[in-house]
Amino acid sequence: MSTATLDTSDIDQYLGKVMDFSPLREPIAANDIRRWVHAMHYANLLHFDPDYAAESRWGGLVAPQSFPIATDDGHGAAPACVGCIPNSHLLFAGDEWWFHGPRIKAGDMIRNERIPFDYTVKETGFGPTAFQRGDNNYYNQDGDPIARQRSTSLRYNAQAGGASVSEADFADPEWPDEEMDGIEKRVFAWVQMLHDLGHKERWWDDVTVGDQLPERVFGPHSIASFATEWRAYIVNTWGSMNLRKNDLEALGFTREMAGYENDPDMMKVNPFLTDGAYYGPSRGHLFPKYARRIGMPRGYGYGASMGSWVTDFL
């Protein structure tokens, strides 16, 4: 049994209170939607081909239901990431979603209402770990509710994360050519299924227990594919949002690890330092050295991206 503890007392002051958010500076553009589905490997013509989309019930391009997280400054998970836990690390741990009907289209201005609401501490392989939750509510310019995203974060002692890394997992796996050929065929089978389905209606009641659902394959992933995903989040383009000030050190990160990711003040001085892919906590996704500090053996995928794959599959 671990003798380590977590000081979660600072979180309490934020629970149940609406947070600030970083508003978009311009309306959603068609290319924002295209960039997102490209990065998420979602080859549904409805989201990038204007001729195909014009024949749909929407009458034009619409965003997939995973897209709201691309309009937020923290991949939607910010309300699950408030309060200081000293000397800790934080990982995104997944979402629940509720959708209200309206879809996001080019020309929409999306805003957020973000509310942290609870946490609990449990013993895990990282030692004592806080499971922290919050809601992110998305609305369009007319006030129509689009979706509710309920996120969970994991927060644990920094030294516990680094101690969990196994050197045996440091090396990137190699995929033989014949195995890659098989994977590419499976990927294309999913794309072909989308094309064959076309604009036909799809209903929950069409699926019953025991049915074999279509297979959707991702990967193999690489630093290049992770970087493509990173650039699809609107906030990761310089100047795209009126950024709120985010104190990453208050979340338990050291100054070296925190850097100036999405810092609105530093953005005007040296925007290179604000790019989390290179200098902030998020660089663990791309750089093994920093991944290992939080318990990952090498670059690793974005939890929000994984959630979008599941959402769009459904």
Side-chain angles (χ1 to χ4, degrees), residues 46 52-60 101 103 105 199 201-202:
L46 178 65
Y52 179 90
E55 297 175 357
S56 74
R57 64 191 176 103
W58 304 107
R103 300 295 288 270
K105 301 179 180 181
H199 296 301
E201 293 181 335
R202 289 159 279 188

Side-chain angles (χ1 to χ4, degrees), residues 283-299:
R283 60 185 153 176
H285 293 291
L286 301 178
F287 294 94
K289 172 183 175 181
Y290 295 99
R292 290 167 193 157
R293 294 192 184 185
I294 63 170
M296 299 293 174
R298 55 186 184 274

Side-chain angles (χ1 to χ4, degrees), residues 76-77 79-81 115-118 132-136 149-152:
C81 309
I115 307 174
F117 68 86
D118 73 3
Q132 186 174 346
R133 299 193 298 171
D135 281 349
N136 202 334
Q149 175 188 10
R150 179 162 293 174
S151 297
T152 300

Side-chain angles (χ1 to χ4, degrees), residues 82-105:
V82 297
C84 176
I85 300 179
N87 192 34
S88 65
H89 284 317
L90 183 151
L91 286 174
F92 176 68
D95 291 319
E96 300 170 80
W97 284 92
W98 292 261
F99 296 99
H100 302 295
R103 300 295 288 270
I104 297 175
K105 301 179 180 181

Side-chain angles (χ1 to χ4, degrees), residues 22-65:
S22 300
L24 294 165
R25 282 179 164 156
E26 291 91 24
I28 298 301
N31 278 349
D32 293 329
I33 297 171
R34 291 188 176 103
R35 187 176 297 110
W36 178 251
V37 296
H38 185 171
M40 296 301 122
H41 309 267
Y42 188 29
N44 188 333
L45 292 166
L46 178 65
H47 308 308
F48 65 91
D49 184 275
D51 295 332
Y52 179 90
E55 297 175 357
S56 74
R57 64 191 176 103
W58 304 107
L61 291 177
V62 295
Q65 287 182 287

Side-chain angles (χ1 to χ4, degrees), residues 204-259:
W204 286 108
D205 293 343
D206 294 335
V207 181
T208 59
V209 174
D211 285 354
Q212 182 65 45
L213 296 179
E215 179 187 42
R216 189 177 181 198
V217 180
F218 293 91
H221 277 289
S222 65
I223 298 302
S225 66
F226 293 157
T228 302
E229 291 174 12
W230 177 261
R231 286 291 177 250
Y233 291 91
I234 295 173
V235 67
N236 296 327
T237 298
W238 296 348
S240 59
M241 293 183 179
N242 286 312
L243 291 168
R244 67 188 176 98
K245 188 74 172 179
N246 187 18
D247 189 350
L248 294 173
E249 288 182 275
L251 293 179
F253 295 104
T254 64
R255 168 45 63 186
E256 180 208 7
M257 194 69 178

Side-chain angles (χ1 to χ4, degrees), residues 103-129:
R103 300 295 288 270
I104 297 175
K105 301 179 180 181
D108 284 349
M109 285 290 288
I110 307 303
R111 66 176 179 86
N112 308 85
E113 181 188 65
R114 311 196 294 193
I115 307 174
F117 68 86
D118 73 3
Y119 67 93
T120 185
V121 178
K122 299 180 181 179
E123 195 70 24
T124 73
F126 285 149
T129 303

